[in-house]
Amino acid sequence: RSKEASLVVVEANPVSIPADGNSVSQVSATVMDSDGNLVEDGTIVRFESEGGTFGPRLSDIRQYEAATINGVAVANLRSSLKAGLVRVRAYVDRNGNKVRDANEPVGEAIVEFVAVAPGLTISVDRVSIPADGVSKATIQVTLRDALNRPVDASGVVFSTTGGKLVNRDDSEAQNGVVRIQLQSDIVAGVATVV
């Protein structure tokens, strides 16, 4: 029979994840006795975090318990929407009171939640149109925030170096999508739409 737990070594993998409310870092706690031997299977380890969640997306579960297997207990820490460094502690709750007592070994790791940049995509249904003054290509702009949620696109401004812009469609602007058509000129050339 192994001795009582006296050392907890905590590691996070990966140590840096997007602050998107969905990405996960696996936090492992290796528990050893005073001789450096792994503790027996079934030793309860309590994980606590200062941010993120051990539960489903955007929940607020900051504590989690797991039993050791081959001396290691594992918890999955899901990121929050807030960027920053998050401290994760793991300890052996010897008396089962769910509070870390002074004599209980503890280890910690830091997980970084990294801000995610918002996105803008531009697409076109045709890359060339005849120079007939009538033909049109539809251009679509889609705006998303760092969590891939739609951003109001009604403020998008278009301009062109050739042809003319017609038929702006803001009907889906609240859903992050705005469209406009480029109508060809009667003179052949390249038009850049921004």
Side-chain angles (χ1 to χ4, degrees):
R1 175 163 160 77
S2 67
K3 296 180 181 179
E4 191 172 69
S6 65
L7 177 64
V8 179
V9 177
V10 181
E11 296 180 65
N13 185 26
V15 296
S16 180
I17 58 176
D20 60 8
N22 197 47
S23 296
V24 173
S25 177
Q26 185 177 70
V27 181
S28 61
T30 303
V31 184
M32 293 168 268
D33 65 20
S34 59
D35 293 329
N37 300 312
L38 297 175
V39 296
E40 60 187 43
D41 288 355
T43 300
I44 301 300
V45 175
R46 188 161 181 80
F47 293 87
E48 296 177 344
S49 76
E50 295 176 349
T53 182
F54 291 113
R57 179 178 164 81
L58 305 179
S59 64
D60 191 30
I61 301 171
R62 301 281 176 89
Q63 298 180 347
Y64 180 79
E65 286 184 356
T68 57
I69 299 174
N70 297 322
V72 180
V74 176
N76 289 318
L77 179 66
R78 187 176 310 276
S79 68
S80 65
L81 303 179
K82 182 180 177 188
L85 299 176
V86 174
R87 183 182 322 274
V88 181
R89 290 185 181 91
Y91 65 94
V92 176
D93 190 9
R94 290 182 184 150
N95 62 16
N97 67 354
K98 300 184 190 241
V99 174
R100 183 179 170 270
D101 298 318
N103 67 338
E104 293 174 333
V106 64
E108 65 181 43
I110 301 293
V111 178
E112 181 179 20
F113 295 169
V114 180
V116 181
L120 175 139
T121 56
I122 301 172
S123 59
V124 62
D125 69 342
R126 299 167 35 175
V127 293
S128 71
I129 53 178
D132 59 12
V134 180
S135 297
K136 297 178 183 99
T138 301
I139 299 148
Q140 176 176 299
V141 171
T142 305
L143 296 178
R144 297 282 186 253
D145 68 10
L147 300 175
N148 201 30
R149 296 178 299 203
V151 173
D152 184 355
S154 60
V156 171
V157 176
F158 294 95
S159 65
T160 184
T161 60
K164 66 180 179 179
L165 297 170
V166 296
N167 303 328
R168 181 177 172 121
D169 178 5
D170 280 343
S171 63
E172 294 182 66
Q174 295 299 316
N175 295 322
V177 177
V178 65
R179 293 178 193 85
I180 199 162
Q181 290 185 315
L182 172 66
Q183 184 172 324
S184 68
D185 203 335
I186 55 171
V187 177
V190 176
T192 302
V193 178
V194 292

